[in-house]
Amino acid sequence: MSAPNPLSYPDLRALFPTLPETPIILRAFDFARDHMSHSLFNHVTRSWIFATKIAVVRGDSFDAEIVAVATLLHDIGLAPHGDGPHRFEVNGAGIAAAFVREQGFDDRRAQLVWDGIALHTTHSISLFKETEVALSSRGIGVDFGTADYATLDQADIEAVVAAVPRLDMKRQFAACALHIAQTKPETTYENFIRDFGERLVPGYKVPSWVDVIAGGPYRE
């Protein structure tokens, strides 16, 4: 692991004093910083800040700890610590749910963390889930320029990026997605990493539901 990212929670709160602070949020912040690359850690941190800002714009009431953990740990499945047999969102969701249960979350709150992470790339579902799940997806999406980007003040976005630099985010994230498409293609067929495989990985082939249905074990 490289040297610790210099960004600390006290530094962050000095710049954004409205960010909530609880022991669980602090532990999640440190967990993300300790297990992710600098670029990935800065991405999840920006995502959390954006999620809290979107909540203000929308007037949403929400569980701050759930949104903090779900956004800060949403990409733990892309870190070495989060490697596993499933798509990266599910691998990460399992780690985060176990983490919050150890911190005392009940099953309901742990499930919302799981959903917020497992569904964060599937906006066609996540935006219609509970407020915490939707906010997590919205905040994460802002860091990629999705529709919620336009709901935030440009000066606020620039302030977040200045405080938590992107660190070559586009190239770093693309390289990470490409690596998974190359090494674990079976985990990518139903998420956005499929796009990287189809465009950039020679020989990458996605199973078709047309073939599955036509070849099903039924006589008709």
Side-chain angles (χ1 to χ4, degrees):
M1 193 74 182
S2 61
N5 192 304
L7 182 65
S8 71
Y9 195 78
D11 293 337
L12 199 63
R13 286 213 71 218
L15 294 166
F16 304 103
T18 60
L19 284 176
E21 180 177 353
T22 71
I24 290 174
I25 291 174
L26 291 173
R27 291 179 196 126
F29 184 88
D30 289 343
F31 188 86
R33 184 177 60 186
D34 291 345
H35 290 94
M36 295 180 184
S37 68
H38 293 182
S39 178
L40 201 59
F41 172 65
N42 279 19
H43 160 59
V44 303
T45 301
R46 288 190 304 271
S47 298
W48 174 38
I49 300 171
F50 289 142
T52 63
K53 289 182 176 295
I54 289 171
V56 172
V57 170
R58 293 174 56 85
D60 288 338
S61 297
F62 64 101
D63 186 317
E65 289 184 336
I66 291 173
V67 171
V69 175
T71 49
L72 288 168
L73 300 187
H74 79 267
D75 274 345
I76 195 67
L78 294 177
H81 183 80
D83 192 27
H86 309 297
R87 54 191 279 178
F88 82 91
E89 304 99 315
V90 172
N91 293 332
I95 290 171
F99 172 84
V100 294
R101 284 193 175 97
E102 291 173 357
Q103 310 300 320
F105 273 31
D106 61 23
D107 287 344
R108 172 62 175 167
R109 296 179 81 209
Q111 184 64 56
L112 287 173
V113 169
W114 194 96
D115 288 354
I117 294 175
L119 297 174
H120 80 267
T121 63
T122 312
H123 282 199
S124 57
I125 297 174
S126 63
L127 298 187
F128 299 93
K129 292 278 289 177
E130 294 84 350
T131 299
E132 291 80 9
V133 176
L135 278 176
S136 298
S137 287
R138 291 180 184 280
I140 294 162
V142 169
D143 210 39
F144 293 97
T146 55
D148 285 290
Y149 181 98
T151 69
L152 296 181
D153 186 87
Q154 186 62 39
D156 282 347
I157 293 174
E158 291 174 359
V160 173
V161 173
V164 191
R166 289 183 61 83
L167 301 180
D168 197 23
M169 170 64 181
K170 288 183 180 180
R171 189 180 66 83
Q172 295 285 343
F173 196 87
C176 183
L178 182 59
H179 175 73
I180 294 176
Q182 292 170 325
T183 60
K184 298 173 64 178
E186 70 280 2
T187 71
T188 69
Y189 298 145
E190 297 177 326
N191 63 20
F192 74 92
I193 297 179
R194 167 180 174 165
D195 296 340
F196 288 86
E198 289 184 325
R199 183 170 297 189
L200 300 171
V201 178
Y204 180 94
K205 183 173 175 58
V206 178
S208 171
W209 272 102
V210 174
D211 297 329
V212 172
I213 294 171
Y218 298 95
R219 296 176 183 175
E220 54 187 89

